[in-house]
Amino acid sequence: MNHEKPVALVTGGGTGIGRSAVLTLAGAGYDVAINYSSSKAAADETARAAADLGAETILIQCDVSDDAAVRQMLAQVEQRFGRLDALINNAGTTSAISPKDFEGVTAENWDRVFAVNVRGMFQVTRAAVPMLKAAGGCVVNTASIVGLRPGPQPLAYATSKAAVVSLTKVLAYNLGPDIRVNAVAPGWMEGDWMKRMLQDNYDRLMERRARLTPLKRCVTADDVAQTMLSLVQGNRFVTGEVVVIDGGFSSST
């Protein structure tokens, strides 16, 4: 198969950062494989929006913590497109347990967060290596500012994102020179994720964070997607790096 357009796979591609990444890549001329775990309706809508931008898409339901399912997902991408130029490892999960509730963190909760956020990221990357290597492709992982500094996020989630930072560097070291691997670390981001975390305090705390940020607003999913695209299409001599996207907040506090 000789598929002329570049192809990207976005995990967790139905909502949030994943949705913005799909649409940004579609607008830049990529065909896109959209992975989702449970948000089928949202993934369907994202696929329609990507198609409106000219992208050929494939929807693949897969829990990235399931290695057999991950390998089947990459087989579907290869069968459909025959190539993979960019992998956006965005699938992630968290918990509702307060970061100060140490006793509330169960082994099952901890293991589930790490299975998706860390092991799942590795499994998808491992399965994608042959196609990425053939294309001279790249990987962009979704980390978080709480993987670099403490923040009001559940313990397992914050620790898993620190592991993503380390995994990014380890993968970059071992996959070079054929495949570049970088990560993005968004700060406080507008939207449903932070609404679930902050609940009734969302508006007040987000407004306060914006005031304390040099660029005077909080990050959006589109901001993150644009940075991802720049790491995919440019920055050809950059690998193993984590790009913080927080409007300068972390550098000013």
Side-chain angles (χ1 to χ4, degrees), residues 73-246:
M73 174 172 66
L74 270 298
Q76 287 181 255
V77 174
E78 184 169 25
Q79 182 178 23
R80 177 67 171 271
F81 298 113
R83 65 186 291 175
L84 183 64
D85 301 81
L87 168 61
I88 308 296
N89 273 319
N90 175 70
T93 191
T94 187
S95 69
I97 300 170
S98 166
K100 296 187 181 296
D101 182 10
F102 282 35
E103 294 298 331
V105 180
T106 65
E108 291 77 14
N109 168 263
W110 186 277
D111 290 347
R112 175 59 184 166
V113 171
F114 268 74
V116 174
N117 294 4
V118 186
R119 178 163 54 81
M121 183 176 289
F122 167 70
Q123 289 174 169
V124 176
T125 304
R126 176 173 61 185
V129 162
M131 279 192 289
L132 288 173
K133 187 173 182 178
C138 64
V139 180
V140 180
N141 298 327
T142 301
S144 169
I145 194 65
V146 296
L148 298 169
R149 56 183 291 177
Q153 295 283 358
L155 288 164
Y157 176 82
T159 310
S160 76
K161 290 302 183 178
V164 167
V165 169
S166 180
L167 178 61
T168 297
K169 295 176 181 296
V170 171
L171 289 172
Y173 180 83
N174 287 286
L175 292 176
D178 303 298
I179 301 170
R180 294 180 297 112
V181 185
N182 293 291
V184 294
W188 283 30
M189 193 176 77
E190 296 177 7
D192 291 341
W193 184 277
M194 288 302 292
K195 286 179 181 177
R196 290 195 297 270
M197 294 298 104
L198 302 177
Q199 299 182 4
D200 293 342
N201 294 315
Y202 174 81
D203 289 333
R204 177 177 63 83
L205 292 178
M206 292 293 281
E207 191 274 334
R208 178 178 180 274
R209 179 59 63 101
R211 286 202 317 270
L212 296 173
T213 297
L215 295 186
K216 301 304 178 187
R217 66 175 177 85
C218 294
V219 66
T220 67
D222 287 345
D223 293 326
V224 179
Q226 285 295 329
T227 303
M228 289 174 163
L229 181 64
S230 73
L231 289 169
V232 169
Q233 290 193 319
N235 298 288
R236 297 294 181 179
F237 202 62
V238 175
T239 193
E241 294 300 322
V242 180
V243 180
V244 174
I245 312 168
D246 70 350

